[in-house]
């Protein structure tokens, strides 16, 4: 039977990784793409330049705490930020479904503009396409971003004993989207965490010289990101479930519908791995920043060469956190 | 009644221009965006950098002479080329409809890869999203591109007496898409002109020092581009209909369905305006290049301050070529 694209190919999980690693990258192969980082690290005429892109297909377009316009800025800004770059410019490509209300488009572009101002980036080029009714779902936005490296960040290999830090509560974004979409009927008190992380990253890089790596846990959440970070390192990571910051309403939603919080998407959080020696200084600096006030140490790199993520549960048991194989909720970004 | 987006908002015509100039740009306003060039001209740490983006929603995805993958490379490469830049890197954002055949995706990415190799660019970053069946039409691709300026090109104001050159036959792309879509039943002998123009541009810049401006006449065709080029110049442009290179089968299609060839989209052509003195040398250089062999002088800049495009017909009459107000054929790129 012919193989076809499924929703899971667009998740942060195993099928998505297979599609990228086996189908796409080999066909386009080049060193910049092959390392599958959040942003390509390039030499522009003697100057390092970071370049990244993301398309946004979130549903609904407006959700508690943000909309697709804000998300399209934050997503790309954050890919640059966690790559150690100061975001400079973004592009904006709109694909609009015929009959889309003009007032709604204006509202979303206003939001995109505000988010760009907050993130300190300019939208310098764009494109607008319109497709017939039924050929798209309202509005899709693509942004690509260019950044310049922040001095003082040189990613390095993770080592046993390094600590894993998350910048705040997990799952807020996916939970907010779920609640907006399902119209659960009760008052929405939960907002998406959608926010630009460039300033938090700058603060972190000033505070600690030995940050090994940073990632933003969007699709596939902390579970997917930690698997990516452990790959090809000959190390494993042990995570303490009790240390994961999570809001009670997010945990409640997970229990209600059977989602695993470790795979929930975030849009204003980052995971970093830092040397044991720098951990306290870094954590203090993060907690002093508005976007890092709930930062916590959630685990440690271990010498286990199987490159696995172990979650030590509150009851003292341990389970392996694999790359997610399906998709919990499609179109969360 | 609430204003809604129509297909014409995505054309190269007046509604599209209004949407961009009145709704989008004022909200995102900054100098780089405001000049509405094909690419933003930026200062990256002391080095000039050109940045552009385009989304591709063409239907059908595969057409005589190309497919959406090739088009996604050529479209962005050409925006950089006509801005006087050597294309270096592109991003690739895929939005795929659930159940899209994997083999078709592979074929399109192979084509995109071949086009990138031909254009001398690397695909250095990407993103893949999947939406539910019915929420997109197969596959949309966004590419953003970064280029470095080619020495020796400094755009300048057009002046009365300057000549207008087109690099080859007009309308091949839109005609090929039309014929592919309408399944006219007869054998398709007409291919899209879809091609990367970076090398032709380099040849042109070596041959002539006084090229005022270059544009690729995609959506809205030569008619839309000439209107853009005349705007804010206090000059008009007179075009000789008989001088427009056009294939007989394209002209035949236009007569059959009532399309105006001057508005037909091209994906491997450029329009340039050059000083009268450099015209012969430039035309000869273009005609010696495979992608410019049918290049022709099609008109002249005049001192008429109304910034209009006049088409002198084969019968000696003259009509004004305005920005198109509707859309001849949607989704041709």
């Amino acid at each position: 039977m012919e193989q076809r694209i499924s929703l899971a190919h667009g998740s942060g999980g195993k099928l998505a990784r297979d599609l990228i690693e086996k189908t796409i990258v080999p066909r386009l192969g080049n060193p910049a793409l092959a390392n599958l980082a959040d942003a390509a690290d390039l030499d522009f005429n003697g100057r390092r330049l970071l370049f990244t892109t993301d398309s946004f297909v979130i549903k609904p377009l407006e959700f508690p705490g943000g909309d697709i316009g804000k998300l399209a800025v934050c997503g790309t800004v954050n890919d640059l930020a966690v790559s150690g770059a100061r975001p400079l410019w973004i592009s904006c490509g709109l694909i609009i479904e015929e009959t889309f209300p003009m007032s709604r488009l204006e509202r979303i572009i206003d939001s995109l503009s505000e988010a760009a101002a907050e993130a300190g980036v300019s939208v310098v080029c764009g494109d607008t396409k319109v497709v017939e009714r039924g050929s798209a779902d309202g509005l899709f936005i693509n942004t690509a971003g260019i950044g310049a490296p922040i001095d003082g960040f040189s990613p390095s290999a993770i080592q046993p004993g390094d600590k894993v830090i998350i910048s705040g509560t997990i799952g807020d974004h996916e939970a907010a989207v779920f609640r907006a979409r399902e119209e659960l009927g009760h008052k929405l008190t939960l907002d998406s965490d959608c926010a630009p992380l460039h300033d938090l990253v700058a603060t972190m890089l000033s505070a600690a010289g030995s940050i090994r790596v940073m990632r933003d846990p969007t699709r596939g959440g902390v579970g997917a990101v930690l698997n990516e970070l452990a790959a090809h390192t000959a190390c494993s990571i042990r995570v303490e479930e009790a240390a994961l910051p999570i809001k009670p309403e997010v945990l409640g939603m997970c229990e209600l519908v059977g989602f695993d919080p470790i795979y929930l998407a975030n849009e204003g959080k980052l995971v970093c791995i830092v040397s044991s020696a720098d951990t306290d200084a870094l954590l203090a600096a993060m907690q002093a920043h508005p976007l890092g006030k709930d930062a916590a140490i959630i685990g440690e790199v271990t010498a286990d060469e199987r490159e696995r993520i172990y979650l030590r549960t509150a009851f003292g048991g341990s389970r392996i956190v694999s790359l997610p194989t399906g998709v919990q909720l499609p179109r969360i970004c």
Side-chain angles (χ1 to χ4, degrees), chain A residues 170-171 221-222 246 250-251 254 259-265 319 328:
Chain A
I170 63 170
V222 171
I246 183 164
V250 175
L251 198 57
C254 285
F259 285 174
D260 187 340
I262 207 157
Y263 296 129
L264 288 184
R319 67 176 173 97
Q328 295 191 135

Side-chain angles (χ1 to χ4, degrees), chain A residues 16 32 48-49 63 91 114 118-119 123 127 162 167-168 181 201 210 212 224 237 269 273 278 282 292 297:
Chain A
R48 268 184 68 211
L49 176 152
F63 49 84
S91 64
E114 272 170 44
E118 188 187 343
V123 183
D127 176 58
D162 286 352
S167 64
R181 201 184 301 171
V201 166
S210 64
R212 312 288 189 203
I237 294 174
K269 298 289 157 32
I273 299 183
D278 270 358
L282 179 61
I297 302 167

Side-chain angles (χ1 to χ4, degrees), chain A residues 188-203:
Chain A
L188 289 170
T189 56
L190 182 70
D191 279 354
S192 163
D193 57 347
C194 186
L197 295 170
H198 64 295
D199 192 62
L200 175 63
V201 166
T203 300

Side-chain angles (χ1 to χ4, degrees), chain A residues 42-113:
Chain A
L42 305 162
D43 180 334
F44 183 74
N45 204 353
R47 309 273 199 267
R48 268 184 68 211
L49 176 152
L50 284 292
F51 186 30
T52 189
T53 191
D54 258 322
S55 295
F56 298 87
V57 299
I58 191 166
K59 182 182 180 175
L61 295 174
E62 294 166 287
F63 49 84
D67 60 24
I68 191 173
K70 180 179 183 183
L71 186 64
V73 171
C74 294
T76 287
V77 160
N78 291 349
D79 280 343
L80 291 170
V82 298
S83 304
R86 187 168 58 90
L88 297 172
W89 305 298
I90 62 174
S91 64
C92 174
L94 307 174
I95 297 175
I96 314 174
E97 185 186 10
E98 188 188 12
T99 74
F100 193 77
M102 185 68 82
S103 58
R104 194 172 193 198
L105 181 64
E106 290 170 351
R107 201 161 64 233
I108 287 169
I109 296 174
D110 280 337
S111 165
L112 188 151
S113 175

